[in-house]
Amino acid sequence: MSATVKVEVQQLPHGEGLALPAYQSADAAGLDLLAAVPVDAPLILAPGKHAMVPTGLTIALPSGYEAQVRPRSGLAARHAVTVLNSPGTVDADYRGEINVLLINHGDTPFPIRRGERIAQMVITPVVQADLVPVTSLSSTARGSGGFGSTGR
């Protein structure tokens, strides 16, 4: 069973006319974010390059929540375009524009056109840690085994 939370959203002038982020199916976890680039000037993402893509949106998350900006699997699978800092975090006290840092891992230029779905945004609760300094930690079977220590 999923819960809902109210999130205020504001479209900036360069985002006017674009649809608000939306879930694409009844059980989707992420809202699709759209590119708010000019109609007559698509952003061309060259192979191996990255760019900050505007969404034309600002949001006001309730305290205790974050928005995670994640890749769209279709863009990654078909075009090797993904979110560079995945997942990007939008904190509850941030009021600036949501931008998506995309990178082209493919071998051909990828045009990003106005209104194109470029990423997804997942709203999730946050638990903040209360760090407690100690002189030693409890032992476990794994111990300090790091990358690859539990298998292939």
PDB file of all heavy atoms in Angstrom, residues 28-56:
ATOM      1  N   ALA A  28       3.709   3.321 -10.378  1.00  0.00           N
ATOM      2  CA  ALA A  28       5.031   3.911 -10.642  1.00  0.00           C
ATOM      3  C   ALA A  28       5.556   4.583  -9.383  1.00  0.00           C
ATOM      4  O   ALA A  28       4.813   5.210  -8.632  1.00  0.00           O
ATOM      5  CB  ALA A  28       4.945   4.914 -11.783  1.00  0.00           C
ATOM      6  N   ALA A  29       6.861   4.455  -9.148  1.00  0.00           N
ATOM      7  CA  ALA A  29       7.502   5.085  -7.993  1.00  0.00           C
ATOM      8  C   ALA A  29       7.952   6.502  -8.309  1.00  0.00           C
ATOM      9  O   ALA A  29       8.044   7.335  -7.411  1.00  0.00           O
ATOM     10  CB  ALA A  29       8.702   4.252  -7.544  1.00  0.00           C
ATOM     11  N   GLY A  30       8.262   6.776  -9.579  1.00  0.00           N
ATOM     12  CA  GLY A  30       8.829   8.057  -9.950  1.00  0.00           C
ATOM     13  C   GLY A  30       7.924   8.894 -10.830  1.00  0.00           C
ATOM     14  O   GLY A  30       7.200   8.373 -11.677  1.00  0.00           O
ATOM     15  N   LEU A  31       7.997  10.189 -10.609  1.00  0.00           N
ATOM     16  CA  LEU A  31       7.329  11.180 -11.459  1.00  0.00           C
ATOM     17  C   LEU A  31       8.310  11.567 -12.559  1.00  0.00           C
ATOM     18  O   LEU A  31       9.471  11.856 -12.278  1.00  0.00           O
ATOM     19  CB  LEU A  31       7.001  12.435 -10.646  1.00  0.00           C
ATOM     20  CG  LEU A  31       6.049  12.282  -9.473  1.00  0.00           C
ATOM     21  CD1 LEU A  31       6.487  13.138  -8.300  1.00  0.00           C
ATOM     22  CD2 LEU A  31       4.658  12.658  -9.931  1.00  0.00           C
ATOM     23  N   ASP A  32       7.872  11.584 -13.804  1.00  0.00           N
ATOM     24  CA  ASP A  32       8.772  11.953 -14.894  1.00  0.00           C
ATOM     25  C   ASP A  32       9.019  13.452 -14.916  1.00  0.00           C
ATOM     26  O   ASP A  32       8.091  14.257 -14.841  1.00  0.00           O
ATOM     27  CB  ASP A  32       8.210  11.505 -16.238  1.00  0.00           C
ATOM     28  CG  ASP A  32       8.401  10.023 -16.486  1.00  0.00           C
ATOM     29  OD1 ASP A  32       9.220   9.399 -15.787  1.00  0.00           O
ATOM     30  OD2 ASP A  32       7.737   9.493 -17.385  1.00  0.00           O
ATOM     31  N   LEU A  33      10.308  13.825 -15.013  1.00  0.00           N
ATOM     32  CA  LEU A  33      10.715  15.221 -15.143  1.00  0.00           C
ATOM     33  C   LEU A  33      10.952  15.536 -16.616  1.00  0.00           C
ATOM     34  O   LEU A  33      11.526  14.715 -17.346  1.00  0.00           O
ATOM     35  CB  LEU A  33      12.002  15.470 -14.347  1.00  0.00           C
ATOM     36  CG  LEU A  33      11.888  15.331 -12.832  1.00  0.00           C
ATOM     37  CD1 LEU A  33      13.269  15.430 -12.181  1.00  0.00           C
ATOM     38  CD2 LEU A  33      10.956  16.397 -12.269  1.00  0.00           C
ATOM     39  N   LEU A  34      10.534  16.718 -17.037  1.00  0.00           N
ATOM     40  CA  LEU A  34      10.634  17.126 -18.437  1.00  0.00           C
ATOM     41  C   LEU A  34      11.692  18.207 -18.618  1.00  0.00           C
ATOM     42  O   LEU A  34      11.918  19.031 -17.732  1.00  0.00           O
ATOM     43  CB  LEU A  34       9.287  17.661 -18.925  1.00  0.00           C
ATOM     44  CG  LEU A  34       8.061  16.781 -18.680  1.00  0.00           C
ATOM     45  CD1 LEU A  34       6.805  17.461 -19.207  1.00  0.00           C
ATOM     46  CD2 LEU A  34       8.238  15.409 -19.290  1.00  0.00           C
ATOM     47  N   ALA A  35      12.294  18.214 -19.783  1.00  0.00           N
ATOM     48  CA  ALA A  35      13.307  19.224 -20.120  1.00  0.00           C
ATOM     49  C   ALA A  35      12.629  20.547 -20.447  1.00  0.00           C
ATOM     50  O   ALA A  35      11.724  20.603 -21.284  1.00  0.00           O
ATOM     51  CB  ALA A  35      14.133  18.755 -21.310  1.00  0.00           C
ATOM     52  N   ALA A  36      13.089  21.617 -19.790  1.00  0.00           N
ATOM     53  CA  ALA A  36      12.550  22.958 -20.034  1.00  0.00           C
ATOM     54  C   ALA A  36      13.553  23.777 -20.840  1.00  0.00           C
ATOM     55  O   ALA A  36      13.950  24.874 -20.463  1.00  0.00           O
ATOM     56  CB  ALA A  36      12.226  23.637 -18.707  1.00  0.00           C
ATOM     57  N   VAL A  37      13.964  23.212 -21.971  1.00  0.00           N
ATOM     58  CA  VAL A  37      14.864  23.923 -22.878  1.00  0.00           C
ATOM     59  C   VAL A  37      14.009  24.629 -23.932  1.00  0.00           C
ATOM     60  O   VAL A  37      12.863  24.243 -24.165  1.00  0.00           O
ATOM     61  CB  VAL A  37      15.888  22.957 -23.540  1.00  0.00           C
ATOM     62  CG1 VAL A  37      16.790  22.327 -22.485  1.00  0.00           C
ATOM     63  CG2 VAL A  37      15.185  21.878 -24.347  1.00  0.00           C
ATOM     64  N   PRO A  38      14.532  25.659 -24.588  1.00  0.00           N
ATOM     65  CA  PRO A  38      13.738  26.352 -25.606  1.00  0.00           C
ATOM     66  C   PRO A  38      13.352  25.428 -26.763  1.00  0.00           C
ATOM     67  O   PRO A  38      14.124  24.556 -27.159  1.00  0.00           O
ATOM     68  CB  PRO A  38      14.676  27.457 -26.098  1.00  0.00           C
ATOM     69  CG  PRO A  38      15.674  27.640 -24.992  1.00  0.00           C
ATOM     70  CD  PRO A  38      15.837  26.282 -24.372  1.00  0.00           C
ATOM     71  N   VAL A  39      12.158  25.640 -27.302  1.00  0.00           N
ATOM     72  CA  VAL A  39      11.667  24.836 -28.426  1.00  0.00           C
ATOM     73  C   VAL A  39      12.619  24.914 -29.609  1.00  0.00           C
ATOM     74  O   VAL A  39      12.909  23.913 -30.264  1.00  0.00           O
ATOM     75  CB  VAL A  39      10.254  25.310 -28.867  1.00  0.00           C
ATOM     76  CG1 VAL A  39       9.816  24.617 -30.147  1.00  0.00           C
ATOM     77  CG2 VAL A  39       9.241  25.075 -27.770  1.00  0.00           C
ATOM     78  N   ASP A  40      13.124  26.109 -29.873  1.00  0.00           N
ATOM     79  CA  ASP A  40      13.967  26.319 -31.045  1.00  0.00           C
ATOM     80  C   ASP A  40      15.458  26.089 -30.781  1.00  0.00           C
ATOM     81  O   ASP A  40      16.288  26.349 -31.643  1.00  0.00           O
ATOM     82  CB  ASP A  40      13.754  27.724 -31.606  1.00  0.00           C
ATOM     83  CG  ASP A  40      14.039  28.815 -30.583  1.00  0.00           C
ATOM     84  OD1 ASP A  40      14.226  28.499 -29.380  1.00  0.00           O
ATOM     85  OD2 ASP A  40      14.066  29.998 -30.977  1.00  0.00           O
ATOM     86  N   ALA A  41      15.800  25.600 -29.574  1.00  0.00           N
ATOM     87  CA  ALA A  41      17.212  25.381 -29.248  1.00  0.00           C
ATOM     88  C   ALA A  41      17.376  24.139 -28.372  1.00  0.00           C
ATOM     89  O   ALA A  41      17.676  24.245 -27.181  1.00  0.00           O
ATOM     90  CB  ALA A  41      17.785  26.607 -28.552  1.00  0.00           C
ATOM     91  N   PRO A  42      17.178  22.956 -28.980  1.00  0.00           N
ATOM     92  CA  PRO A  42      17.407  21.748 -28.175  1.00  0.00           C
ATOM     93  C   PRO A  42      18.852  21.696 -27.691  1.00  0.00           C
ATOM     94  O   PRO A  42      19.744  22.253 -28.329  1.00  0.00           O
ATOM     95  CB  PRO A  42      17.109  20.596 -29.131  1.00  0.00           C
ATOM     96  CG  PRO A  42      16.995  21.187 -30.486  1.00  0.00           C
ATOM     97  CD  PRO A  42      16.851  22.665 -30.352  1.00  0.00           C
ATOM     98  N   LEU A  43      19.040  21.083 -26.555  1.00  0.00           N
ATOM     99  CA  LEU A  43      20.383  20.929 -26.007  1.00  0.00           C
ATOM    100  C   LEU A  43      20.984  19.675 -26.636  1.00  0.00           C
ATOM    101  O   LEU A  43      20.377  18.609 -26.569  1.00  0.00           O
ATOM    102  CB  LEU A  43      20.281  20.773 -24.484  1.00  0.00           C
ATOM    103  CG  LEU A  43      21.549  20.850 -23.685  1.00  0.00           C
ATOM    104  CD1 LEU A  43      21.216  21.222 -22.251  1.00  0.00           C
ATOM    105  CD2 LEU A  43      22.343  19.587 -23.702  1.00  0.00           C
ATOM    106  N   ILE A  44      22.120  19.790 -27.286  1.00  0.00           N
ATOM    107  CA  ILE A  44      22.768  18.637 -27.915  1.00  0.00           C
ATOM    108  C   ILE A  44      23.836  18.127 -26.960  1.00  0.00           C
ATOM    109  O   ILE A  44      24.808  18.831 -26.675  1.00  0.00           O
ATOM    110  CB  ILE A  44      23.395  18.998 -29.287  1.00  0.00           C
ATOM    111  CG1 ILE A  44      22.358  19.656 -30.204  1.00  0.00           C
ATOM    112  CG2 ILE A  44      24.005  17.751 -29.930  1.00  0.00           C
ATOM    113  CD1 ILE A  44      21.143  18.817 -30.515  1.00  0.00           C
ATOM    114  N   LEU A  45      23.640  16.912 -26.479  1.00  0.00           N
ATOM    115  CA  LEU A  45      24.572  16.301 -25.535  1.00  0.00           C
ATOM    116  C   LEU A  45      25.543  15.418 -26.319  1.00  0.00           C
ATOM    117  O   LEU A  45      25.183  14.356 -26.815  1.00  0.00           O
ATOM    118  CB  LEU A  45      23.791  15.486 -24.501  1.00  0.00           C
ATOM    119  CG  LEU A  45      24.509  15.039 -23.251  1.00  0.00           C
ATOM    120  CD1 LEU A  45      25.167  16.202 -22.518  1.00  0.00           C
ATOM    121  CD2 LEU A  45      23.537  14.326 -22.322  1.00  0.00           C
ATOM    122  N   ALA A  46      26.767  15.906 -26.463  1.00  0.00           N
ATOM    123  CA  ALA A  46      27.782  15.192 -27.240  1.00  0.00           C
ATOM    124  C   ALA A  46      28.247  13.940 -26.491  1.00  0.00           C
ATOM    125  O   ALA A  46      28.168  13.874 -25.264  1.00  0.00           O
ATOM    126  CB  ALA A  46      28.969  16.112 -27.503  1.00  0.00           C
ATOM    127  N   PRO A  47      28.750  12.947 -27.217  1.00  0.00           N
ATOM    128  CA  PRO A  47      29.277  11.738 -26.567  1.00  0.00           C
ATOM    129  C   PRO A  47      30.350  12.086 -25.540  1.00  0.00           C
ATOM    130  O   PRO A  47      31.220  12.921 -25.790  1.00  0.00           O
ATOM    131  CB  PRO A  47      29.863  10.939 -27.727  1.00  0.00           C
ATOM    132  CG  PRO A  47      29.127  11.412 -28.937  1.00  0.00           C
ATOM    133  CD  PRO A  47      28.842  12.865 -28.679  1.00  0.00           C
ATOM    134  N   GLY A  48      30.238  11.485 -24.366  1.00  0.00           N
ATOM    135  CA  GLY A  48      31.209  11.703 -23.309  1.00  0.00           C
ATOM    136  C   GLY A  48      31.042  13.006 -22.546  1.00  0.00           C
ATOM    137  O   GLY A  48      31.790  13.285 -21.615  1.00  0.00           O
ATOM    138  N   LYS A  49      30.064  13.806 -22.905  1.00  0.00           N
ATOM    139  CA  LYS A  49      29.860  15.108 -22.257  1.00  0.00           C
ATOM    140  C   LYS A  49      28.651  15.059 -21.324  1.00  0.00           C
ATOM    141  O   LYS A  49      27.777  14.207 -21.450  1.00  0.00           O
ATOM    142  CB  LYS A  49      29.653  16.212 -23.292  1.00  0.00           C
ATOM    143  CG  LYS A  49      30.845  16.400 -24.205  1.00  0.00           C
ATOM    144  CD  LYS A  49      32.082  16.808 -23.420  1.00  0.00           C
ATOM    145  CE  LYS A  49      33.271  17.042 -24.326  1.00  0.00           C
ATOM    146  NZ  LYS A  49      34.482  17.321 -23.584  1.00  0.00           N
ATOM    147  N   HIS A  50      28.629  16.020 -20.405  1.00  0.00           N
ATOM    148  CA  HIS A  50      27.500  16.126 -19.492  1.00  0.00           C
ATOM    149  C   HIS A  50      26.977  17.554 -19.522  1.00  0.00           C
ATOM    150  O   HIS A  50      27.686  18.488 -19.923  1.00  0.00           O
ATOM    151  CB  HIS A  50      27.891  15.727 -18.068  1.00  0.00           C
ATOM    152  CG  HIS A  50      28.927  16.597 -17.447  1.00  0.00           C
ATOM    153  ND1 HIS A  50      30.277  16.454 -17.681  1.00  0.00           N
ATOM    154  CD2 HIS A  50      28.819  17.655 -16.611  1.00  0.00           C
ATOM    155  CE1 HIS A  50      30.946  17.355 -17.009  1.00  0.00           C
ATOM    156  NE2 HIS A  50      30.087  18.103 -16.342  1.00  0.00           N
ATOM    157  N   ALA A  51      25.720  17.718 -19.100  1.00  0.00           N
ATOM    158  CA  ALA A  51      25.101  19.040 -19.080  1.00  0.00           C
ATOM    159  C   ALA A  51      24.006  19.084 -18.032  1.00  0.00           C
ATOM    160  O   ALA A  51      23.362  18.074 -17.740  1.00  0.00           O
ATOM    161  CB  ALA A  51      24.517  19.379 -20.453  1.00  0.00           C
ATOM    162  N   MET A  52      23.812  20.269 -17.475  1.00  0.00           N
ATOM    163  CA  MET A  52      22.742  20.525 -16.535  1.00  0.00           C
ATOM    164  C   MET A  52      21.503  20.893 -17.339  1.00  0.00           C
ATOM    165  O   MET A  52      21.517  21.861 -18.106  1.00  0.00           O
ATOM    166  CB  MET A  52      23.140  21.670 -15.609  1.00  0.00           C
ATOM    167  CG  MET A  52      22.278  21.788 -14.401  1.00  0.00           C
ATOM    168  SD  MET A  52      22.610  20.524 -13.175  1.00  0.00           S
ATOM    169  CE  MET A  52      24.159  21.118 -12.515  1.00  0.00           C
ATOM    170  N   VAL A  53      20.445  20.116 -17.192  1.00  0.00           N
ATOM    171  CA  VAL A  53      19.221  20.334 -17.957  1.00  0.00           C
ATOM    172  C   VAL A  53      18.148  20.902 -17.028  1.00  0.00           C
ATOM    173  O   VAL A  53      17.803  20.274 -16.026  1.00  0.00           O
ATOM    174  CB  VAL A  53      18.732  19.025 -18.608  1.00  0.00           C
ATOM    175  CG1 VAL A  53      17.502  19.285 -19.474  1.00  0.00           C
ATOM    176  CG2 VAL A  53      19.850  18.377 -19.429  1.00  0.00           C
ATOM    177  N   PRO A  54      17.609  22.071 -17.346  1.00  0.00           N
ATOM    178  CA  PRO A  54      16.589  22.673 -16.492  1.00  0.00           C
ATOM    179  C   PRO A  54      15.240  21.962 -16.635  1.00  0.00           C
ATOM    180  O   PRO A  54      14.921  21.432 -17.696  1.00  0.00           O
ATOM    181  CB  PRO A  54      16.503  24.105 -17.018  1.00  0.00           C
ATOM    182  CG  PRO A  54      16.914  24.007 -18.449  1.00  0.00           C
ATOM    183  CD  PRO A  54      17.934  22.901 -18.514  1.00  0.00           C
ATOM    184  N   THR A  55      14.482  21.968 -15.540  1.00  0.00           N
ATOM    185  CA  THR A  55      13.119  21.408 -15.576  1.00  0.00           C
ATOM    186  C   THR A  55      12.060  22.496 -15.499  1.00  0.00           C
ATOM    187  O   THR A  55      10.883  22.229 -15.736  1.00  0.00           O
ATOM    188  CB  THR A  55      12.877  20.422 -14.415  1.00  0.00           C
ATOM    189  OG1 THR A  55      12.921  21.145 -13.180  1.00  0.00           O
ATOM    190  CG2 THR A  55      13.877  19.282 -14.435  1.00  0.00           C
ATOM    191  N   GLY A  56      12.473  23.719 -15.128  1.00  0.00           N
ATOM    192  CA  GLY A  56      11.504  24.796 -14.989  1.00  0.00           C
ATOM    193  C   GLY A  56      10.624  24.640 -13.762  1.00  0.00           C
ATOM    194  O   GLY A  56       9.552  25.241 -13.694  1.00  0.00           O
TER     195      GLY A  56
END
